[in-house]
Amino acid sequence: MREFQRVCLVHYHEIGLKGHNRSTFEMRLLRNLEAHLADFPIVTIHRISGRLCVFIREGTDYETACQTADVIARIPGTARVSCGYVCDRDLEEMYVAAERAVLDAGPFETFKVKARRNHTDFPVDSMQMNRMVGAYLCEKFPEKKVQMKGQDLTVCVEVVQGSVYVYAHSLRGIGGLPVGSAGTVVSLLSSGIDSPVAAWRIARRGAVVVGVHFSGRPQTAPTSEYLVDDIAHVLERTGCMARVYVVPFGDCQRQIAGLVPPALRVICYRRLMFRVAEALARAEGAKALVTGESLGQVASQTLDNILATNAAVSLPVFRPLIGSDKLEIIERAQELGTYEISSQDAPDCCTLFMPRSPETHAKLADVEAAEAGLPIEQWVSELVAAAELHDYRCPAYKPRKPQRA
Ligand code: ATP
Ligand code: MG
């Protein structure tokens, strides 16, 4: 039987809604796909009307093409990816390509053909194509039935410009927008369950993520740093993770613990973390901070305490999980692949110098009074200078030279 070139068609949804910016979004997705598929047998990726088409090298088997589609499905901006063939604008070619696509797709009992043409210069309209391709497949697979609703298999035939794309295998993508289309955020990454999920939520909306992790070092072992590195590698697979700053925070915490009333310690730690994160954000050109907080989950996540912590910085602080329950967050972490890592116990600054009863309704005036006289600015500069940098592979990120505050 005649061989055709295999393709993966990448369908997007929201990019399609962007007016005059559309080509910028499409090109961003195209570049991200190129980078992720560097190790796959890809010839080229083109924009075709309302889709990206990944052309796969001749002689590649169906299994490898499906693996390629699996990778594409996980890249933000992909709403759906289909694995099939490209052929000439010729009915005979279309028939055989459809037969091939059906043979690839595995067992089925019922099917339907869904044809479309993006231009009326192709003389056969979509209804006629449905009928003609359907009739051919009925002849080739006489034991199979055509069914219009709830069919096992949908054979899609799309006439786009000079070519025809035919596929019967489609899978749902992660959706969202291509990483790099929404700027950069600084995400506070603990080694816990929540913050990686929060970072991922924002990344799926197109943001590049620069992480900052506060380690208890030198007052604790660096275990949490290894876990954060593992988490960053999981996020790296989606192309959103640019770099992580690791800040040894233990000594500062010890000083705060000795200088502020026990009930306000946690708020003061967190305000200092936010300030350091903001300084790093400015150096990175990032325009927001992100945390994994969820309303009421722990003492520091009450509205009063969130207000008091936010007051330490002027950048917006995004909390994508604010309305999520812990069980929902755990499910998302499992899907993302960070849950196992986050479930490991590691002392970090969160477990260090904790008061017995932290304030749950801090008043900003009290917090500011407790901080008066502390060398906050100096601590921020020292912590920023002490931050250690780890880089990850993020095609949408252009590294800036870190400017020390
Ligand atoms: P997580 O599961 O993300 O650790 P949590 O439920 O333990 O969250 P907190 O410890 O109050 O809650 O932390 C709230 C948020 O503050 C975290 O989601 C994270 O964004 C940030 N954060 C906490 N600890 C650290 C840390 N050591 N380094 C960087 N960010 C941190
Ligand atoms: Mg935590």
Side-chain angles (χ1 to χ4, degrees), residues 48-327:
I48 61 170
S49 157
R51 313 250 189 279
L52 293 181
C53 184
V54 178
F55 292 87
I56 298 177
R57 201 177 299 146
E58 266 176 58
T60 303
D61 58 19
Y62 180 58
E63 203 180 313
T64 310
C66 288
Q67 285 165 4
T68 311
D70 287 342
V71 171
I72 296 171
R74 288 201 298 268
I75 296 174
T78 303
R80 179 162 285 280
V81 51
S82 311
C83 225
Y85 297 97
V86 58
C87 68
D88 290 340
R89 255 173 48 152
D90 171 276
L91 282 170
E92 288 302 321
E93 294 258 310
M94 244 186 245
Y95 296 157
V96 186
E99 186 182 353
R100 276 229 157 262
V102 167
L103 286 169
D104 280 343
F108 71 100
E109 291 308 320
T110 55
F111 77 101
K112 87 169 187 189
V113 177
K114 206 167 133 195
R116 91 178 180 132
R117 54 176 184 174
N118 86 328
H119 209 279
T120 46
D121 67 354
F122 187 66
V124 188
D125 73 20
S126 43
M127 289 303 284
Q128 288 169 310
M129 275 195 282
N130 283 341
R131 254 182 266 118
M132 292 160 87
V133 178
Y136 179 87
L137 292 175
C138 285
E139 205 174 288
K140 289 287 165 183
F141 304 95
E143 71 285 13
K144 309 296 183 193
K145 299 248 167 325
V146 172
Q147 189 173 309
M148 286 301 138
K149 273 201 178 126
Q151 70 283 6
D152 300 332
L153 201 68
T154 306
V155 184
C156 296
V157 179
E158 302 189 3
V159 183
V160 183
Q161 288 141 8
S163 304
V164 184
Y165 301 86
V166 182
Y167 54 88
H169 172 73
S170 235
L171 60 151
R172 203 177 160 161
I174 194 80
L177 294 169
V179 171
S181 61
T184 304
V185 295
V186 162
S187 204
L188 284 89
L189 281 182
S190 68
S191 59
I193 294 165
D194 307 336
S195 46
V197 176
W200 169 230
R201 283 270 172 94
I202 289 289
R204 222 181 59 130
R205 297 305 303 164
V208 167
V209 174
V210 169
V212 50
H213 173 63
F214 295 91
S215 145
R217 201 157 40 95
Q219 303 289 332
T220 65
T223 324
S224 67
E225 298 171 28
Y226 303 139
L227 297 182
V228 167
D229 181 54
D230 288 348
I231 286 167
H233 278 296
V234 172
L235 287 166
E236 187 183 33
R237 284 187 228 142
T238 66
C240 70
M241 194 76 230
R243 43 178 42 175
V244 173
Y245 289 90
V246 174
V247 180
F249 198 57
D251 283 346
C252 258
Q253 267 187 286
R254 195 167 59 98
Q255 294 191 58
I256 294 173
L259 294 168
V260 307
L264 294 180
R265 268 183 210 168
V266 177
I267 304 257
C268 291
Y269 302 153
R270 295 187 62 74
R271 281 166 57 93
L272 184 56
M273 284 186 194
F274 273 36
R275 286 183 175 111
V276 172
E278 185 175 57
L280 293 169
R282 298 220 188 274
E284 286 285 346
K287 297 196 181 74
L289 305 183
V290 178
T291 78
E293 288 160 297
S294 146
L295 189 61
Q297 196 189 79
V298 292
S300 64
Q301 298 175 15
T302 62
L303 282 180
D304 286 318
N305 289 3
I306 286 174
L307 195 68
T309 319
N310 264 22
V313 291
S314 55
L315 279 182
V317 182
F318 295 148
R319 298 175 169 85
L321 306 182
I322 198 71
S324 302
D325 285 356
K326 194 74 188 186
L327 288 178

